[in-house]
């Protein structure tokens, strides 16, 4: 993290131990962080309500999720640079305000278009929150407590990502779907007041300038590519409706890479991609979130549409994933395992467990007659895999770039989480839709609509079986992708470690030769 220049604050940091109110501030930060991270997975439980009350198609639902994810992922690095330059406290307060206003607009939305637009606005606020919270943690804790504080921050991140279905189920069991957004407003107001009163201001007056064009290019490029993936099953993969946005996305992302190479203050230093450790870590991180995000999106629909569970019941059945991640993180088993066996084996082990979880869900718990125990086994395996692989890959990312770019590393980590989640929903959702369309001839744009249009119980059973088959196929695709990514990531990380050891040995030998020559 770059050095900061402290400005006026209500309570200056203490000489030892960091800011005197650091734990209270951490609690406020974690609450804001939890709200942002819950927002995507909470929405997944509300899919049936949104489908029936807003007449949302599967593509609409995917864009309600992806609008938030893609806007946030496109702005994360720029938001971090802006916070360093203009003040972390200011940007954290602005982020809370924007997130609260976006939540209000989403909760009062009367159409799918309004909800998608509101979700995009929430993504802007979420980007500011995701980057500034970690920056504030780095500021208010000294070296003796910083590791513990970041561990708690990371645990809240895992909880927020995985516990959404349960919390969403509790809310939807008592209120209408808009409450999953409106409940964010009091949290945002409390957080805003606490930030203004407690959090000290800091900025780096020599900080990197925001890369606004880079943010625009990256966001447009990712949106275009994911749009092509979402609409592929509907229009055909070789149709103009798919090929044109796909080509636009590739061209724009290429322009983004060229732009980042030319400017003095890039949002993403493209030279990082010459580092095998960096490539292996970001590839693994992307695929873990890809498998988890896509799986959650599909499983919540399967539990409610096919197996007939209420939102709360579905949320409870998804809870073991969250409990496993949080339990292993709080006990420190995941980080200790990484330290004991090393980063490459930990990445391979974790991603193999995630792949095994997806495979278990597909083979044992994905059909209309599948046992919940097969799904439970899959959720437990996925949770264990994420708890092992995530700290390993985060450590690899942060150690593969210069220490003065630690803020950029945190932004990259957040970008991967958001983009991987959106890509998982898009790709695995597209696989499911393609399989579903190949098995049954229906014109409806969603499973509930297809079931409603069915003329007999036998036809409805065929439709449910087709959806379950599509779920199984998509989970198998996810399992293969995650496992293959784990093998490649571990191999790259192992090769990078060997290169580092050889370089260190060569340096030590050169130093010894110089010392010997000087002595002679």
């Amino acid at each position: 993290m770059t050095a900061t220049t402290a400005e006026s604050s209500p309570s200056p940091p203490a000489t030892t131990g960091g800011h005197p109110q650091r734990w209270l501030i951490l609690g406020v930060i974690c609450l804001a962080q939890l709200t942002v991270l819950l927002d995507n997975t909470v929405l997944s439980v509300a899919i049936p309500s949104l489908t029936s009350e807003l007449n949302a198609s599967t593509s609409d639902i995917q864009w309600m999720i992806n609008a938030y994810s893609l806007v946030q992922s496109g702005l994360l690095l720029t938001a971090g640079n802006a916070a360093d330059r203009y003040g972390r406290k200011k940007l954290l307060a602005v982020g809370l305000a924007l997130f609260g206003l976006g939540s209000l607009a989403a909760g009062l939305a009367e159409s799918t278009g309004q909800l998608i637009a509101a979700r995009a606005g929430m993504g802007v606020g979420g980007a500011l929150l995701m980057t500034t919270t970690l920056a504030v943690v780095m500021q208010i804790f000294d070296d003796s407590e910083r590791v513990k504080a970041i561990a708690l921050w990371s645990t809240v991140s895992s909880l927020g990502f995985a516990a959404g279905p349960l919390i969403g189920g509790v809310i939807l069991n008592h209120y209408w779907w808009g409450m999953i957004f409106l409940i964010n407003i009091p949290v945002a107001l409390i957080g805003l007041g606490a930030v203004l009163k407690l959090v000290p201001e800091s900025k780096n007056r020599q900080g990197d300038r925001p890369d606004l064009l880079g943010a625009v290019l990256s966001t447009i490029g990712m949106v275009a590519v994911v749009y092509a993936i979402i609409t592929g099953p509907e229009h055909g993969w070789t149709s103009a409706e798919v090929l044109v946005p796909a080509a636009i996305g590739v061209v724009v992302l290429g322009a983004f890479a060229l732009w980042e190479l030319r400017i003095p203050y890039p949002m993403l230093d493209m030279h990082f991609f010459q580092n095998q450790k960096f490539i292996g870590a970001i590839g693994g991180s992307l695929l873990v979130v890809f498998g988890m995000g896509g799986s959650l999106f599909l499983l919540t629909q399967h539990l409610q549409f096919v197996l007939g569970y209420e939102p709360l019941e579905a949320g409870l059945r998804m809870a073991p994933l969250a409990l496993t991640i949080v339990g292993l993180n709080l006990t420190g088993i995941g980080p200790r395992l990484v330290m004991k066996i090393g980063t490459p084996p930990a990445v391979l082990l974790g991603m193999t467990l995630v792949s095994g979880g997806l495979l278990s869900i597909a083979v044992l718990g994905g059909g209309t007659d599948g046992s919940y125990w097969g799904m439970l086994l899959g959720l437990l395996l996925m949770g264990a895999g994420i708890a092992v692989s995530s700290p390993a890959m985060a450590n690899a990312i942060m150690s593969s770039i210069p220490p003065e770019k630690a803020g950029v590393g945190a932004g990259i980590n957040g970008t991967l989480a958001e983009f991987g989640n959106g890509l998982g929903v898009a790709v695995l959702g597209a696989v499911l839709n393609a399989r579903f369309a190949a098995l049954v001839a229906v014109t409806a744009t969603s499973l509930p609509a297809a079931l409603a249009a069915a003329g007999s119980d036998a036809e409805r059973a065929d439709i449910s079986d087709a959806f379950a088959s599509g779920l199984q196929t998509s989970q198998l695709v996810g399992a293969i992708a995650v496992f293959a990514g784990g093998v490649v990531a571990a191999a790259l990380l192992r090769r990078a470690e060997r290169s580092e050891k050889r370089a260190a040995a060569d340096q030590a030998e050169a130093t010894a030769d110089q010392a010997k020559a000087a002595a002679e």
Side-chain angles (χ1 to χ4, degrees):
M1 183 69 66
T2 55
T4 59
T5 302
E7 296 187 337
S8 60
S9 62
S11 303
T15 303
T16 59
H19 194 280
Q21 294 176 301
R22 57 195 177 280
W23 295 109
L24 179 59
I25 296 173
L26 179 63
V28 173
I29 287 172
C30 287
L31 182 62
Q33 178 91 345
L34 182 63
T35 304
V36 173
L37 293 165
L38 280 173
D39 198 71
N40 261 348
T41 48
V42 165
L43 182 62
S44 64
V45 183
I47 289 172
S49 300
L50 293 169
T51 301
S52 60
E53 296 184 30
L54 292 181
N55 296 318
S57 67
T58 300
S59 180
D60 290 332
I61 295 295
Q62 289 174 328
W63 274 111
M64 289 174 192
I65 296 174
N66 289 330
Y68 177 84
S69 297
L70 294 176
V71 169
Q72 181 168 336
S73 62
L75 294 176
L76 275 170
L77 296 178
T78 298
N81 289 336
D84 284 340
R85 184 173 181 83
Y86 300 114
R88 300 180 179 94
K89 175 178 180 177
K90 292 185 182 72
L91 271 294
L92 180 55
V94 171
L96 282 165
L98 289 176
F99 193 79
L101 291 173
S103 298
L104 177 62
L108 301 179
E110 297 179 351
S111 68
T112 57
Q114 291 177 3
L115 183 53
I116 291 170
R119 293 273 298 161
M122 293 172 67
V124 178
L128 293 171
L129 289 173
M130 290 289 289
T131 51
T132 51
T133 51
L134 183 56
V136 171
V137 170
M138 295 293 292
Q139 170 200 353
I140 62 177
F141 286 91
D142 66 7
D143 293 339
S144 65
E145 295 179 324
R146 190 170 293 146
V147 173
K148 181 180 179 181
I150 293 176
L152 291 174
W153 181 87
S154 299
T155 300
V156 170
S157 298
S158 298
L159 175 63
F161 192 81
L166 176 60
I167 296 175
V170 172
I171 294 173
L172 292 174
N173 200 44
H174 296 89
Y175 305 101
W176 102 109
W177 63 266
M179 282 302 297
I180 64 175
F181 300 111
L182 297 181
I183 198 172
N184 295 335
I185 297 174
V187 176
L189 290 174
I190 293 171
L192 182 59
V195 165
L196 294 175
K197 181 175 178 60
L198 297 174
V199 175
E201 181 61 286
S202 68
K203 67 172 67 173
N204 176 19
R205 298 186 186 278
Q206 304 301 319
D208 294 350
R209 292 192 295 273
D211 179 14
L212 299 180
L213 181 58
V216 172
L217 291 174
S218 64
T219 302
I220 292 175
M222 287 190 292
V223 168
V225 170
V226 174
Y227 176 81
I229 295 171
I230 290 175
T231 57
E234 180 181 355
H235 298 293
W237 295 104
T238 58
S239 66
E241 290 88 345
V242 174
L243 292 179
V244 170
I248 292 174
V250 171
V251 170
V252 172
L253 289 177
F256 166 73
L258 291 175
W259 171 254
E260 297 300 287
L261 287 169
R262 292 172 60 89
I263 61 174
Y265 299 106
M267 183 173 72
L268 176 60
D269 188 343
M270 303 305 295
H271 295 97
F272 291 158
F273 291 95
Q274 297 175 351
N275 187 320
Q276 290 181 341
K277 180 187 287 189
F278 179 78
I279 295 173
I282 65 172
S285 296
L286 184 67
L287 284 171
V288 164
V289 183
F290 168 90
M292 183 177 172
S295 178
L296 287 176
F297 173 71
L298 299 177
L299 283 180
T300 50
Q301 296 183 69
H302 180 73
L303 286 167
Q304 296 179 73
F305 290 146
V306 177
L307 301 183
Y309 291 113
E310 295 296 324
L312 179 57
E313 295 173 327
L316 287 171
R317 281 162 176 78
M318 296 293 291
L321 174 64
L323 295 176
T324 302
I325 295 173
V326 174
L328 293 178
N329 278 341
L330 287 178
T331 57
I333 293 176
R336 285 200 297 270
L337 185 60
V338 174
M339 297 286 290
K340 183 175 182 179
I341 67 176
T343 298
V347 168
L348 181 58
L349 173 62
M351 295 186 71
T352 300
L353 289 172
V354 174
S355 177
L358 292 168
L359 182 64
S360 174
I361 292 170
V363 176
L364 302 176
T368 54
D369 57 350
S371 168
Y372 172 69
W373 297 108
M375 186 178 293
L376 174 62
L377 174 62
L379 294 172
L380 293 174
L381 288 173
M382 288 176 64
I386 292 165
V388 171
S389 59
S390 291
M393 289 182 292
N395 178 67
I397 290 174
M398 298 304 289
S399 63
S400 65
I401 60 178
E404 62 270 17
K405 294 290 185 179
V408 174
I412 292 170
N413 198 46
T415 300
L416 291 171
E418 291 302 323
F419 183 54
N421 181 66
L423 194 62
V425 169
V427 173
L428 298 188
V431 171
L432 185 150
N433 289 339
R435 177 64 175 167
F436 180 73
L439 293 176
V440 293
V442 295
T443 57
T445 57
S446 66
L447 176 63
L451 292 172
S456 65
D457 290 342
E459 189 176 349
R460 279 189 286 272
D462 289 341
I463 292 172
S464 294
D465 287 339
F467 183 88
S469 178
L471 172 74
Q472 291 173 315
T473 302
S474 64
Q475 302 289 50
L476 287 173
V477 170
I480 294 170
V482 171
F483 179 73
V487 172
V488 174
L492 289 172
L493 291 170
R494 174 68 73 186
R495 184 180 299 177
E497 285 190 353
R498 289 173 178 170
S499 297
E500 289 177 352
K501 289 179 180 178
R502 284 197 298 268
D506 291 344
Q507 180 64 38
E509 184 178 351
T511 302
D513 290 342
Q514 290 175 357
K516 182 179 179 180
E520 293 175 352

